Amino acid sequence: MDVTIVGCSGSFAGPRSPASSYLVQAEHEGRTWSIVLDLGNGALGALQTHVTPYAVDAVLLSHLHVDHCIDMCGLYVMMRYVPGGPGRAAMPVWGPPGTGVHLARAYGGGDGEDVFGTFDFHDLRDREPVTVGPFTVTPVRVNHPIEAFGFRVEADGRTLAYTGDTDTCDELSDLMVGADLVLADSAFVDGRDSVPGIHLSGRRAAEAAVRAGGVGRLMLTHIPAWNDPEVCREQAAAVWPGKVELAEPGASYTI
């Protein structure tokens, strides 16, 4: 299973990276299957350097804040107006209940008839797995001001855990346990950000991974442009027993 960091800037697109988006790929039945976890602002442009966006097999949206979903509007335009058509049926999209209506309104499409014809929307349900080709994706409800999910992605005996946006919660243990790689929200900095129920800090991300047990690699992501990533890494390193990695835009990792 290969993971590409399409965008990892927290809360808004930064000078070096689009907002949240992760391309996950695996070989199955003689071809490469591709899913995208989140498609935040700026991500659609960067995604084109890695894959044809309208050819991905499915998109899964962790929640409906713009830094995780708004470039779905651009993907709609691409799929609807590409010369010759995208050459496929409606793209499967999983998201929190109401995702289709939310995106139709964001695009300005009125009742959303065209958007619904381009995408095939499905509701995420806590702990109800989604299967796309070789991937089994289990959404886990996490701790954020709006309905939000982390994703546990399994394929070929390997596991990726992506927290989405969350603060500390017991559910992170089920999400992370035994994962080969954890992509962990690290938007907050201890000693500066104290509002509960929004984001993890590097330290709290590391604490969650340690509590879960069996985590192979810890990678911090969703770091806003105003943060010093090394501060986030240092706060995590005070807890995490191994190397603390930082997500790098455009980088790919095999797990």
Side-chain angles (χ1 to χ4, degrees):
M1 181 161 50
D2 295 321
V3 180
T4 299
I5 311 299
V6 179
C8 55
S9 183
S11 302
F12 54 91
R16 294 184 56 248
S17 175
S20 297
S21 187
Y22 306 89
L23 172 65
V24 186
Q25 297 177 297
E27 298 299 317
H28 181 63
E29 296 179 341
R31 72 173 181 90
T32 301
W33 289 70
S34 302
I35 60 174
V36 172
L37 310 179
D38 286 340
L39 198 63
N41 39 323
L44 183 61
L47 183 62
Q48 293 172 68
T49 67
H50 305 288
V51 70
T52 301
Y54 56 78
V56 301
D57 294 288
V59 176
L60 295 99
L61 302 175
S62 65
H63 65 293
L64 298 179
H65 281 152
V66 296
D67 59 317
H68 291 258
C69 74
I70 200 61
D71 269 23
M72 291 294 295
C73 294
L75 180 57
Y76 160 71
V77 173
M78 180 183 287
M79 291 187 65
R80 182 164 173 80
Y81 296 108
V82 61
R88 61 168 303 159
M91 179 182 291
V93 177
W94 278 267
T99 292
V101 172
H102 179 88
L103 292 176
R105 289 173 177 167
Y107 179 71
D111 61 9
E113 181 178 350
D114 290 343
V115 175
F116 281 99
T118 302
F119 299 121
D120 181 17
F121 290 104
H122 305 270
D123 290 345
L124 292 170
R125 304 291 184 190
D126 188 32
R127 315 303 176 98
E128 291 188 8
V130 170
T131 300
V132 180
F135 301 106
T136 298
V137 184
T138 303
V140 177
R141 182 74 183 266
V142 291
N143 182 13
H144 201 53
I146 65 171
E147 186 171 13
F149 297 88
F151 295 130
R152 184 176 174 88
V153 183
E154 297 170 283
D156 299 329
R158 311 296 284 176
T159 301
L160 165 71
Y162 167 52
T163 68
D165 286 8
T166 184
D167 198 351
T168 300
C169 57
D170 292 341
E171 289 76 9
L172 288 177
S173 289
D174 290 342
L175 179 69
M176 296 181 178
V177 62
D180 298 283
L181 173 65
V182 169
L183 287 169
D185 173 14
S186 184
F188 276 7
V189 173
D190 288 329
R192 184 194 71 190
D193 304 307
S194 58
V195 180
I198 302 179
H199 292 294
L200 293 167
S201 64
R203 176 184 59 82
R204 294 201 297 275
E207 288 172 343
V210 169
R211 279 195 302 271
V215 172
R217 297 166 64 183
L218 175 64
M219 185 175 293
L220 305 183
T221 191
H222 200 271
I223 298 176
W226 55 53
N227 280 7
D228 180 346
E230 290 303 323
V231 170
C232 299
R233 191 207 303 261
E234 289 170 6
Q235 292 188 345
V239 176
W240 182 246
K243 177 183 178 182
V244 177
E245 301 177 65
L246 298 174
E248 291 292 336
S252 294
Y253 309 89
T254 298
I255 60 173

